[in-house]
Amino acid sequence: MTNIWSSATLLCVLTLILEVTDVLTVSKPIERACVIGAGYSGLAVARYLQEYGVNYTVFEASRHVGGTWRFDPHVGTDEDGLPLFTSMYKNLRTNTPRHTMEFSGFPFPEDTPSYPTGTCFYKYLKLFTKKFDLIKFIQLRSYVTSIKRANDRWNVTYMRTDTRDNHTEECDFVVVSTGEYSNPVWPKFEGQSTFKGNIIHSHDYKEPEAYTNRRVLLVGAGPSGLDLAIHLSNITSKLVHSHHLTYNQPDFSDSYIKKPDIKSFTTSGVIFQDDTYEDVDDVIFCTGYELALPFLDENTGVTKTGKFVLPLYQDIVNIRYPTMAFVGISKKIINRVLDAQAQYTALLAAGKFELPHQNDMLKTWLSRAHALQARGKRIVDINAIGEAMDQYFGNLTREAGVTRAPPVLTEIRDFNAVNRLEDLMNYREYDYYITDEYHFARSYNPRMGVPCPIDIE
Ligand SMILES: Cc1cc2nc3c(=O)[nH]c(=O)nc-3n(C[C@H](O)[C@H](O)[C@H](O)COP(=O)(O)OP(=O)(O)OC[C@H]3O[C@@H](n4cnc5c(N)ncnc54)[C@H](O)[C@@H]3O)c2cc1C
Ligand SMILES: *[C@@H]1O[C@H](CO)[C@@H](O)[C@H](O)[C@H]1NC(C)=O
Ligand SMILES: *[C@@H]1O[C@H](CO)[C@@H](O)[C@H](O)[C@H]1NC(C)=O
Ligand SMILES: *[C@@H]1O[C@H](CO)[C@@H](O)[C@H](O)[C@H]1NC(C)=O
Ligand SMILES: *[C@@H]1O[C@H](CO)[C@@H](O)[C@H](O)[C@H]1NC(C)=O
Ligand SMILES: *[C@@H]1O[C@H](CO)[C@@H](O)[C@H](O)[C@H]1NC(C)=O
């Protein structure tokens, strides 16, 4: 079966086609835009809405801006009893050069290492908030529980975490920028419930000290799995790492043991697919995240699962109701894509360009889905931009006038993705220099422990 469509998806798309045929994109002035979430994406949207003179409010659940870049010592729920959205841990350094992560026109101070710490990136976000004076339009402690189509507008309902009161506000335009790395994926293995040790997800991992002289199993070798292997290998008495990534494995400590995927748990340890066994005290599932958009009412006209949202024009605009935009749903991208999507969204809200007719947006989307199929991908990959990233930047610029991100950023992204797996222990010890629009250079310059040049409270 090579068809990428599940019958449910097909049904949804057909219904949509039938519904939109005689609806026109009516561009009327936006009286008010509402943005959900004040992480990197929401802050970028706010900056551009402000620049284009759109009246807006950002609703942020927590007491803070910065999203996942803010370290929070709470586990599971935050100080207000809300689910903790940040997945940050201590000692994190970015796994991508900062040049690919900077907001357009807002570089880090020049002496910042190319791979700053998580703390430094958080300071950068706070500096951005201050520089563009965004805080007065950000309503903190406002946890959005529902977004619903009502009278040709959007009803956004949120709970204030101080009073626990619920409020509904009407918005002409709504931007969903609630992040995609907050909701952990938990695998289930045979015997797991009988295991007597501790099991957590990397979402809840905070610092290495808790694992001193313990026998620890890490599951997965995505960015978190590889990072935690580095952070924990010299601290644990034994570090078992179960994964199936092919890469240039560095010399971790002598107590590091590579294993294949898990077969089952026993009360005191784990049996692997090769039938070997290891005793362990603690397990950390570094098994990634799923989308969670529980607040989207069914009448918003998008189909969502933990893996995708569809159909979105340019991976941003809700085709059914083009006054709803998503920033940060895309996969396999650099942060600069979030900035470009934010600018596109704000230009749209400000009426600075016009979308194609809905049928044409849908056709574009369908041809993208077919191209995906032709490349042997499946519908779950519909939000992955990946290798088409530079073309995507070009398209947003051509259609809406978004500031063109230079092709060199894609070059850096591609180089870093390979280099990281070839030289895991040292790849962050280089500094990058952009030499022109297409080229970069790098030089070895270990700066572990160099203080963040951004000084902000
Ligand atoms: C541990 C970790 C390390 C990472 N490292 C890198 C890296 O090195 N390089 C890189 O390019 N990318 C990295 N990323 C990706 C990272 O997600 C992006 O850099 C960026 O932070 C995404 O920003 P965002 O605003 O889309 O989402 P988030 O930062 O998750 O912000 C979402 C915001 O929405 C709020 N929110 C959520 N739900 C609601 C609601 N219902 N109502 C109101 N507010 C709500 C949250 O409180 C949060 O403030 C990393 C991610 C993680 C988790
Ligand atoms: C912005 O929107 C709010 C909420 O609808 C409204 O009270 C306010 O008057 C608007 N401001 C402007 C300048 O339009
Ligand atoms: C939308 O919100 C307004 C204001 O709170 C309310 O009067 C209206 O009934 C709501 N509509 C729907 C469909 O929920
Ligand atoms: C607000 O709504 C939430 C559900 O979203 C509910 O649990 C809570 O009790 C409501 N608060 C009040 C004061 O009604
Ligand atoms: C672990 O310790 C050894 C010896 O001190 C050191 O060479 C190595 O770099 C350390 N590894 C990590 C990942 O910190
Ligand atoms: C960019 O636009 C071209 C022409 O419309 C289209 O063929 C291509 O698929 C688009 N690429 C991306 C990544 O959106």
Side-chain angles (χ1 to χ4, degrees):
M1 205 34 207
T2 54
N3 202 323
I4 54 172
W5 308 107
S6 72
S7 50
T9 309
L10 189 60
L11 199 68
C12 143
V13 172
L14 288 176
T15 312
L16 185 96
I17 293 169
L18 294 176
E19 279 177 10
V20 298
T21 28
D22 56 8
V23 182
L24 289 166
T25 310
V26 183
S27 37
K28 57 177 181 201
I30 301 296
E31 277 168 43
R32 189 196 195 192
C34 296
V35 181
I36 323 303
Y40 182 102
S41 301
L43 292 171
V45 175
R47 173 244 188 129
Y48 289 117
L49 286 174
Q50 195 145 308
E51 187 176 329
Y52 305 142
V54 178
N55 186 22
Y56 75 97
T57 307
V58 181
F59 297 98
E60 164 56 48
S62 73
R63 301 183 187 196
H64 317 270
V65 302
T68 211
W69 290 96
R70 184 183 60 88
F71 175 80
D72 191 314
H74 293 91
V75 177
T77 46
D78 72 4
E79 59 212 327
D80 296 314
L82 295 186
L84 190 72
F85 292 107
T86 173
S87 303
M88 193 50 47
Y89 45 84
K90 284 192 184 160
N91 311 332
L92 178 138
R93 284 176 77 185
T94 66
N95 60 16
T96 47
R98 64 174 166 80
H99 312 80
T100 66
M101 304 178 72
E102 289 167 353
F103 296 107
S104 174
F106 191 76
F108 270 89
E110 219 171 306
D111 55 340
T112 312
S114 285
Y115 295 86
T117 62
T119 313
C120 194
F121 201 80
Y122 176 47
K123 286 185 175 176
Y124 171 77
L125 294 178
K126 288 207 286 190
L127 185 65
F128 178 82
T129 307
K130 190 172 163 196
K131 164 79 195 288
F132 291 96
D133 205 12
L134 303 177
I135 201 74
K136 55 177 183 265
F137 302 105
I138 300 174
Q139 192 176 307
L140 300 171
R141 308 191 69 177
S142 302
Y143 178 47
V144 172
T145 53
S146 163
I147 302 178
K148 190 174 174 181
R149 191 78 188 149
N151 289 326
D152 288 341
R153 299 180 90 196
W154 298 102
N155 271 14
V156 173
T157 303
Y158 60 91
M159 183 182 79
R160 291 282 322 182
T161 65
D162 42 5
T163 61
R164 301 268 143 189
D165 284 343
N166 295 308
H167 303 266
T168 296
E169 298 197 23
E170 294 170 67
C171 314
D172 306 290
F173 195 98
V174 61
V175 186
V176 178
S177 46
T178 49
E180 52 181 356
Y181 302 110
S182 307
N183 181 38
V185 171
W186 286 89
K188 276 266 172 293
F189 296 100
E190 198 189 314
Q192 195 172 313
S193 59
T194 66
F195 178 64
K196 297 262 192 321
N198 312 299
I199 304 183
I200 67 163
H201 188 279
S202 59
H203 172 63
D204 295 324
Y205 169 83
K206 302 291 171 181
E207 57 190 13
E209 285 72 22
Y211 298 96
T212 309
N213 293 326
R214 312 254 318 162
R215 298 169 302 177
V216 178
L217 167 65
L218 289 179
V219 183
S224 309
L226 290 180
D227 220 24
L228 294 202
I230 300 172
H231 289 208
L232 295 175
S233 61
N234 275 356
I235 281 237
T236 52
S237 63
K238 171 168 92 174
L239 187 65
V240 184
H241 196 179
S242 163
H243 71 80
H244 50 252
L245 176 73
T246 308
Y247 79 118
N248 182 24
Q249 184 188 303
D251 294 325
F252 290 114
S253 66
D254 292 342
S255 58
Y256 177 91
I257 307 170
K258 156 80 176 76
K259 288 288 176 189
D261 291 353
I262 294 176
K263 186 186 244 176
S264 59
F265 277 80
T266 68
T267 54
S268 56
V270 173
I271 300 167
F272 300 92
Q273 290 294 346
D274 60 359
D275 288 323
T276 57
Y277 170 82
E278 291 292 337
D279 282 313
V280 292
D281 304 310
D282 307 299
V283 176
I284 307 178
F285 281 137
C286 305
T287 41
Y289 297 89
E290 275 190 346
L291 290 172
L293 300 161
F295 46 80
L296 288 184
D297 191 275
E298 277 196 22
N299 80 1
T300 54
V302 293
T303 296
K304 58 174 170 119
T305 71
K307 300 202 186 304
F308 59 79
V309 177
L310 63 79
L312 303 181
Y313 178 67
Q314 297 287 29
D315 225 32
I316 301 172
V317 180
N318 174 352
I319 297 177
R320 181 72 182 90
Y321 296 116
T323 51
M324 170 180 273
F326 293 80
V327 173
I329 287 292
S330 305
K331 305 237 170 51
K332 304 194 175 166
I333 51 151
I334 56 176
N335 271 28
R336 180 57 186 265
V337 167
L338 307 177
D339 184 277
Q341 293 183 336
Q343 192 179 8
Y344 181 96
T345 296
L347 287 163
L348 177 63
K352 305 255 187 211
F353 77 100
E354 267 187 38
L355 291 170
H357 186 279
Q358 275 173 311
N359 278 337
D360 294 322
M361 292 196 280
L362 196 56
K363 274 188 205 145
T364 303
W365 182 83
L366 280 167
S367 68
R368 214 185 125 185
H370 285 130
L372 195 73
Q373 183 178 24
R375 282 185 286 123
K377 301 273 168 57
R378 293 174 309 140
I379 199 69
V380 294
D381 299 311
I382 192 76
N383 303 119
I385 292 175
E387 62 263 43
M389 190 170 77
D390 189 60
Q391 193 186 58
Y392 181 71
F393 280 132
N395 285 3
L396 297 187
T397 299
R398 197 153 8 90
E399 182 183 6
V402 167
T403 310
R404 180 66 161 93
V408 64
L409 298 185
T410 305
E411 299 294 319
I412 295 178
R413 191 269 313 256
D414 293 346
F415 176 85
N416 179 68
V418 174
N419 185 238
R420 191 177 139 257
L421 298 181
E422 275 171 0
D423 192 15
L424 183 65
M425 291 306 213
N426 295 304
Y427 78 102
R428 293 183 174 102
E429 307 307 341
Y430 289 79
D431 275 331
Y432 285 62
Y433 306 92
I434 291 181
T435 51
D436 66 35
E437 231 182 296
Y438 296 92
H439 301 94
F440 68 94
R442 57 170 210 149
S443 68
Y444 187 65
N445 187 19
R447 295 206 276 163
M448 181 73 151
V450 167
C452 180
I454 300 172
D455 186 20
I456 188 168
E457 257 334 291

